[in-house]
Amino acid sequence: FLQAEDGMREAEESLGSEMWIRDSFMGGGGSAARLPAGFTRVAARSPAAIRLQPEETLAWCSCGYSSNQPRCDGSHRSVNLEKSGRAGFTPFKPMLLAPDPGEELEFEACLCKQTQSPPFCDGSHNAMACGPETLVANYWLPFDVVSNTQHTHDSTTLHLRVQESALPALQHCTSVVGPPFHFSARALNQLESRPYTPIRMYPESGDVELLVKRYQGGAVSPVLHALSHGEALELRGPLPGNGFENGVAPSASLALFAAGTGISPILQIAEAVLGSNGTRECSLYCANKSASDVLCADLIGALEEEHKVLSVWHVLEDGGGAVQGRMSSSVLTQTRLRKPGPDDCAVVCGPPLFNKSMVEVLQEYGYSESRITVC
């Protein structure tokens, strides 16, 4: 393939200069186009048929986290930040492809991200047992706003219900993708979208509860934050998760760590795990700046009341909680989190720097890297 200069310039403006340029069909992806082994996410165990028109370009997602497969949506940036410094990790980069001048290009793009000849499918998905078989949720579904309830000074809870015509599609997607469920959300007639994880989701009725924090200057969150009853928005999802499995040993403990809006997927996981096995020891740590920043406090309290095996710790920087300061191994010792055994698991969800820091803290405390999941 030869570079299409206009398309190349446009992609560089949106994605930055760090990308692979695939300029030859022969010879595989080249030594520079090897994917970071063990760090990719399986978007689907099947390829995507791609047809590029003359002068059209494709920035192929190499990490598997894009919500617009097989195209890059910039998700690799936060993945690179979270995983930098981990043994064997090299930063993900999208790969730019373009047809020869005046010609079309047809090929099958790899979605499992295990190919030895990126971005082309080489059949590696045929040997895989994990991950969704087909790409799901690659289209937008219409939802109506049932209610908008203020949650904190800068966040609100949106109760949404999928429109009746789209309910079968939503139910199909949820049957393929397990919790925690992730979505991309956008207002009607807008191109900008933002990832969200519901606090609660009911596939049977199509009801979804989203926690929306308003970020000043944001392109999406202020619009969603202001929606009222009867208005509509669009969700794409649920998207493939992060590989966390509920089927851990019944005797294993589970430690959950959330910062900010990361509490949404953590609550999904806690409810699923405690609901399926009410005897498993579970600890939930919520890290925030102050008590006024704590999200879903009522849901957390109700979950703790319902499940006696659940211990909840609020770690607040201003000292207003049970634990003062930031998450560290000393906090885990102070709260008497039991030292992890070989089957014990930890799940982390928050901003990229929090996730990266928590992985280091958990490894220092004794968790093996294979037993730590980052949402």
Side-chain angles (χ1 to χ4, degrees):
F1 309 123
L2 300 177
Q3 297 170 203
E5 295 297 335
D6 291 341
M8 173 64 179
R9 192 174 298 111
E10 180 180 350
E12 284 184 335
E13 289 175 356
S14 62
L15 295 172
S17 58
E18 290 191 0
M19 61 178 69
W20 297 325
I21 307 302
R22 179 61 189 255
D23 59 7
S24 174
F25 184 91
M26 302 303 292
S31 59
R34 292 294 177 253
L35 305 180
F39 295 97
T40 57
R41 182 165 72 171
V42 178
R45 288 183 285 145
S46 57
I50 297 297
R51 184 175 186 176
L52 297 180
Q53 301 297 324
E55 307 305 321
E56 184 182 2
T57 58
L58 169 69
W60 177 75
C61 166
S62 63
C63 65
Y65 285 80
S66 171
S67 60
N68 190 30
Q69 293 292 335
R71 292 168 173 80
C72 172
D73 67 357
S75 296
H76 63 278
R77 293 174 181 143
S78 60
V79 177
N80 289 343
L81 185 60
E82 289 177 7
K83 301 184 185 300
S84 64
R86 296 176 67 174
F89 179 73
T90 54
F92 287 109
K93 302 176 184 179
M95 178 180 286
L96 188 71
L97 297 95
D100 289 332
E103 296 184 4
E104 295 182 351
L105 174 64
E106 294 187 50
F107 66 98
E108 288 191 329
C110 170
L111 295 179
C112 72
K113 314 303 177 182
Q114 308 300 310
T115 178
Q116 296 301 303
S117 184
F120 307 110
C121 173
D122 66 358
S124 295
H125 61 274
N126 292 320
M128 301 177 63
C130 297
E133 292 185 9
T134 58
L135 190 64
V136 297
N138 204 27
Y139 41 86
W140 293 92
L141 302 178
F143 282 74
D144 295 319
V145 177
V146 178
S147 64
N148 184 333
T149 306
Q150 184 174 354
H151 190 72
T152 66
H153 64 286
D154 62 354
S155 65
T156 189
T157 301
L158 284 180
H159 178 187
L160 310 174
R161 182 171 296 136
V162 70
Q163 294 181 8
E164 186 176 356
S165 61
L167 180 58
L170 178 67
Q171 291 174 336
H172 167 72
C173 292
T174 55
S175 68
V176 176
V177 179
F181 298 109
H182 305 283
F183 289 85
S184 289
R186 71 182 184 187
L188 294 180
N189 304 316
Q190 285 198 349
L191 296 178
E192 296 88 354
S193 64
R194 193 179 188 281
Y196 283 96
T197 301
I199 306 171
R200 289 173 172 170
M201 180 172 173
Y202 305 94
E204 298 80 8
S205 62
D207 286 71
V208 174
E209 292 182 13
L210 289 187
L211 179 64
V212 178
K213 185 174 183 179
R214 183 183 65 248
Y215 293 95
Q216 295 297 334
V220 179
S221 64
V223 180
L224 300 187
H225 189 276
L227 290 174
S228 58
H229 170 74
E231 295 188 280
L233 74 161
E234 293 179 312
L235 300 183
R236 181 168 60 196
L239 305 171
N242 47 46
F244 177 78
E245 298 291 344
N246 290 336
V248 294
S251 59
S253 68
L254 178 64
L256 305 171
F257 301 87
T261 54
I263 189 62
S264 295
I266 291 299
L267 279 176
Q268 279 196 47
I269 292 173
E271 289 186 335
V273 170
L274 294 171
S276 64
N277 189 331
T279 62
R280 180 180 295 127
E281 181 180 337
C282 184
S283 300
L284 170 58
Y285 291 81
C286 303
N288 291 280
K289 290 183 179 181
S290 65
S292 63
D293 296 309
V294 176
L295 302 175
C296 304
D298 53 341
L299 296 178
I300 296 170
L303 199 64
E304 183 178 25
E305 179 68 23
E306 181 180 357
H307 301 280
K308 302 305 181 184
V309 294
L310 174 64
S311 301
V312 177
W313 300 96
H314 289 284
V315 183
L316 304 179
E317 293 182 24
D318 69 356
V323 183
Q324 179 179 359
R326 296 187 175 185
M327 288 301 311
S328 64
S329 57
S330 62
V331 168
L332 304 186
T333 301
Q334 178 183 346
T335 55
R336 295 185 175 88
L337 179 67
R338 80 177 191 184
K339 285 292 184 177
D343 294 327
D344 294 337
C345 301
V347 183
V348 179
C349 190
L353 290 179
F354 172 82
N355 294 343
K356 180 182 178 182
S357 174
M358 276 309 310
V359 169
E360 295 172 353
V361 167
L362 290 168
Q363 289 180 315
E364 177 186 346
Y365 200 70
Y367 284 89
S368 64
E369 185 172 341
S370 64
R371 308 305 291 175
I372 303 173
T373 298
V374 178
C375 290

